[in-house]
Amino acid sequence: MEHEGIFKHISDSSEGVINVRKYKPDAASDKAKTADFKLDNFPEPSPYAIANAQNGIENELNAVITETLGAVKETLQARTAAYCWSSLSKKTFYIASYVTDSPNFTDEKWLSFAGDVLTQTFLARNAQLYKDISPSDEVKIIRYYKASNAIRSFIGVPVFHGDFVYGILFVDSTVREAFSHDDVKLLNRFANICSALIENYAIKSTHMESLRFVKPAISFMHNLQLTAEIEKATEIFSKSIDEILEFDHLTISLVNSNSELIVKKVVSKVEDSYVETGSKIDLKNSAVGISVMQGQDGTIDDLSTLNGFARFFPDEPCKKTNEAKGSMLIVPIKYQDSYSGVVTLETSQRNYFGKENFAKVRFYVEALSFFLHTKFLEEQLKAITPLDEETGILSRRTFVGRVRHEFNRANRERTNLVLMLIEFDDIEGLLHRYGEKSVSILMRSTARLLASGIRNYDLIGRFDTYKFAVCLINITEINARYWADKIREQILNTPCETEDAFHSILASVSIGLAKLKHEKTDIDMLFEGASKALNHALKTGNSVKVF
């Protein structure tokens, strides 16, 4: 490429400025990629029309731009007329629309910044004219073809939205000096039309997007307030995210009592293998773990840049990052300075998650974090409260403490003691048919029934959300079994009246019994035995089971 005559310097204040600069290729880098990554935290507004947009407004805008490109190509007698969106923060272009005579136009939608004609136009923030491109330089500066097309002339014009360059409108030709100063002015006029279109469609899109976001957001907040279970809250969260955003994989991981980050919810829409619920995230050797430990949130625009470094933990079942071509959004679940988990979204498209999508997900995550923090405070309150607020019987902590005392005394005095765990059959079906409010009434009614059936020195407590525990003191196994059968029949034959006068609940329970064995002085084995007996009764339909 000659030093002179390849660029033509033209200055026109009314039609834009053309910079005259030699092409300088980027220095090759042989530095190996490492796991020292940094999440993109969206420092600049992202383009209005993003690559993965599927709604009618973006399609309508792209259709108008494509029609404009047809007029540009015909007017300038170009081989190709195209429009691409641009992002400085991501250092990428997205080819949104093109009209071409070439069979070799690229299939790649995303092009990274380099020393090519598109990058020169973007960085200069004004028009660029190339009049005599040599065959050797074409390979270096024309990157939107799969093979050489003998391109000899090029015009690129930035398209503005406010003060930001949101895109590049460009044409090329196989003829030397195919374009003149007048052609640059004409293309600038088309670019101004595109800017006006973007402005108008951005206003319309903002309004429509607000309407589309507000309804599911209100529904999400309402449903979250109605639930008391963390598992159900994560289900509501997942469905709500699915309504506002396309993704391939979603995970919700929560911190357990051992300060381990455990995957609690996985939603996969593709057949590729992914992490499973119950998996433990490696906090030191994974992208998600390091992000949480460092308090980062943002996106990994290209997973292959991790160079094989794990997303969640080494030897994870999902595709290795150096083979992946997608992107990942990582948002820690945080309330004030306390972290309770992390939400991740992944898609097979690179550079997928923009500022707008991040803001939406962040809104839902903040609501989920407040819910989890509230549950944490409730658990702390329960831990120091002797009675269960809903049923009026002993709380789990108080019940276990009292049983421990009776357990030690029975061991000393060599007397009998039986522990029972009682749970409703098909609790999910009861919740579905009658709702949480009616099931809450059932819990209170059953608690009163159980309390009325025991002696004043026996113990009864709420062991879990829908589970009771009873400790019968100084009683034989036969009499305990008789009491269990009797109370089960009594619950089954006692309809629970709800607030709806036309509906009453008839529910059955399963009961697991474990008796004290004096040769085993570990109280945990007593509770474990009752739990195993209950699980067996629930699975087999054997209403009362003794361990």
Side-chain angles (χ1 to χ4, degrees):
M1 187 164 56
E2 297 179 4
H3 289 196
E4 303 291 336
I6 293 178
F7 305 101
K8 184 173 180 180
H9 181 79
I10 301 174
S11 178
D12 190 324
S13 58
S14 63
E15 298 293 346
V17 179
I18 302 175
N19 278 359
V20 181
R21 298 193 299 175
K22 284 185 59 179
Y23 161 71
K24 294 182 180 180
D26 292 340
S29 174
D30 297 326
K31 294 176 65 177
K33 296 176 181 178
T34 69
D36 185 19
F37 65 94
K38 183 178 181 181
L39 296 182
D40 184 350
N41 59 358
F42 314 107
E44 65 155 342
S46 58
Y48 149 69
I50 58 176
N52 52 313
Q54 297 296 324
N55 64 55
I57 295 178
E58 280 87 355
N59 291 336
E60 185 180 342
L61 174 59
N62 285 334
V64 174
I65 290 179
T66 301
E67 289 184 14
T68 303
L69 292 176
V72 170
K73 181 180 181 299
E74 183 177 353
T75 302
L76 298 180
Q77 295 296 297
R79 182 167 180 77
T80 293
Y83 178 80
C84 63
W85 301 102
S86 57
S87 172
L88 177 59
S89 65
K90 300 179 185 298
K91 293 182 173 55
T92 54
F93 299 102
Y94 174 76
I95 300 178
S97 303
Y98 62 90
V99 180
T100 183
D101 295 332
S102 171
N104 296 321
F105 197 84
T106 182
D107 296 326
E108 291 287 335
K109 289 293 187 180
W110 294 97
L111 297 176
S112 59
F113 280 19
D116 63 337
V117 288
L118 297 179
T119 307
Q120 296 280 3
T121 305
F122 178 86
L123 296 177
R125 294 174 61 86
N126 51 41
Q128 300 287 295
L129 171 63
Y130 291 68
K131 299 190 67 178
D132 188 1
I133 302 174
S134 67
S136 61
D137 288 322
E138 179 193 1
V139 179
K140 302 174 184 177
I141 65 176
I142 304 295
R143 299 191 303 128
Y144 48 84
Y145 289 111
K146 292 183 286 187
S148 174
N149 272 250
I151 299 301
R152 297 295 173 261
S153 303
F154 173 90
I155 304 176
V157 177
V159 176
F160 288 86
H161 179 51
D163 293 330
F164 293 96
V165 177
Y166 262 31
I168 307 293
L169 180 63
F170 60 95
V171 295
D172 62 29
S173 174
T174 57
V175 180
R176 292 178 62 252
E177 299 188 0
F179 305 123
S180 65
H181 181 206
D182 291 336
D183 295 325
V184 174
K185 291 182 178 181
L186 180 61
L187 196 60
N188 261 312
R189 293 191 183 102
F190 278 113
N192 291 335
I193 293 173
C194 289
S195 293
L197 286 172
I198 293 171
E199 181 70 33
N200 291 335
Y201 277 90
I203 295 172
K204 182 179 179 181
S205 175
T206 300
H207 175 68
M208 295 299 294
E209 192 67 18
S210 297
L211 293 178
R212 191 171 61 178
F213 175 72
V214 167
K215 185 176 179 179
I218 292 175
S219 176
F220 169 71
M221 296 297 290
H222 176 71
N223 292 332
L224 203 60
Q225 289 177 352
L226 294 179
T227 187
E229 299 298 313
I230 292 178
E231 183 177 349
K232 189 170 183 180
T234 58
E235 180 69 24
I236 294 170
F237 176 89
S238 303
K239 290 181 179 179
S240 299
I241 294 296
D242 191 26
E243 290 182 16
I244 64 168
L245 193 62
E246 293 290 333
F247 59 83
D248 292 335
H249 305 284
L250 176 149
T251 71
I252 303 173
S253 304
L254 301 177
V255 178
N256 65 12
S257 57
N258 297 322
S259 298
E260 297 171 327
L261 194 57
I262 306 298
V263 179
K264 293 294 186 181
K265 180 73 177 179
V266 178
V267 178
S268 291
K269 298 183 177 180
V270 295
E271 295 182 356
D272 296 344
S273 58
Y274 209 63
V275 293
E276 298 179 350
T277 56
S279 302
K280 183 171 74 172
I281 294 177
D282 192 322
L283 296 177
K284 295 182 179 179
N285 300 300
S286 71
V288 174
I290 291 175
S291 300
V292 172
M293 294 297 289
Q294 295 180 352
Q296 290 182 303
D297 54 21
T299 179
I300 301 173
D301 288 326
D302 186 351
L303 285 169
S304 65
T305 59
L306 293 180
N307 199 30
F309 193 62
R311 301 169 183 81
F312 301 95
F313 51 85
D315 298 324
E316 59 196 5
C318 39
K319 183 181 293 184
K320 302 299 182 183
T321 53
N322 57 345
E323 301 173 358
K325 296 182 179 180
S327 52
M328 188 177 199
L329 183 68
I330 302 174
V331 186
I333 304 172
K334 175 185 175 184
Y335 183 80
Q336 296 180 346
D337 294 329
S338 300
Y339 288 86
S340 54
V342 63
V343 171
T344 71
L345 294 168
E346 186 174 331
T347 177
S348 59
Q349 298 183 42
R350 288 175 294 187
N351 302 279
Y352 179 87
F353 299 104
K355 179 181 179 181
E356 295 81 4
N357 289 336
F358 174 77
K360 293 175 187 176
V361 175
R362 186 62 181 269
F363 168 83
Y364 284 87
V365 170
E366 287 178 351
L368 180 62
S369 67
F370 181 77
F371 170 85
L372 294 173
H373 184 71
T374 302
K375 291 301 168 187
F376 172 73
L377 294 178
E378 289 177 355
E379 290 300 321
Q380 284 190 320
L381 182 61
K382 289 178 182 178
I384 61 176
T385 303
L387 298 180
D388 176 66
E389 183 179 0
E390 184 177 21
T391 61
I393 58 180
L394 295 178
S395 67
R396 173 170 177 154
R397 179 174 180 271
T398 305
F399 176 82
V400 172
R402 298 275 185 87
V403 171
R404 188 180 300 277
H405 174 76
E406 295 297 336
F407 178 86
N408 292 334
R409 184 169 67 175
N411 266 320
R412 288 195 309 268
E413 300 177 359
R414 314 300 288 181
T415 55
N416 296 322
L417 181 144
V418 174
L419 176 68
M420 298 184 187
L421 293 181
I422 304 168
E423 185 173 346
F424 290 105
D425 297 322
D426 190 23
I427 186 62
E428 292 298 328
L430 293 174
L431 289 168
H432 178 73
R433 288 192 296 272
Y434 302 105
E436 289 186 5
K437 196 170 184 180
S438 294
V439 172
S440 177
I441 296 174
L442 175 64
M443 289 292 294
R444 294 195 294 270
S445 174
T446 304
R448 290 192 296 269
L449 197 61
L450 291 172
S452 66
I454 63 175
R455 299 161 296 183
N456 57 5
Y457 50 83
D458 293 325
L459 303 173
I460 177 174
R462 185 171 186 173
F463 200 71
D464 207 342
T465 308
Y466 302 109
K467 188 183 298 184
F468 299 98
V470 174
C471 181
L472 299 180
I473 299 167
N474 199 15
I475 190 173
T476 64
E477 179 183 328
I478 295 176
N479 287 335
R481 175 63 185 262
Y482 174 77
W483 184 90
D485 285 327
K486 180 180 176 182
I487 201 68
R488 188 187 65 81
E489 290 293 331
Q490 195 172 354
I491 292 172
L492 180 62
N493 296 321
T494 305
C496 174
E497 301 297 331
T498 66
E499 292 183 348
D500 187 343
F502 298 99
H503 287 89
S504 59
I505 304 177
L506 278 176
S508 62
V509 296
S510 291
I511 304 176
L513 284 74
K515 64 177 182 178
L516 170 64
K517 298 178 181 179
H518 295 294
E519 67 275 13
K520 297 182 180 180
T521 57
D522 187 354
I523 191 174
D524 291 337
M525 296 185 66
L526 182 68
F527 280 97
E528 183 179 341
S531 181
K532 287 182 178 179
L534 174 62
N535 290 335
H536 187 275
L538 287 168
K539 290 178 180 178
T540 61
N542 187 1
S543 301
V544 179
K545 177 68 178 177
V546 180
F547 178 80

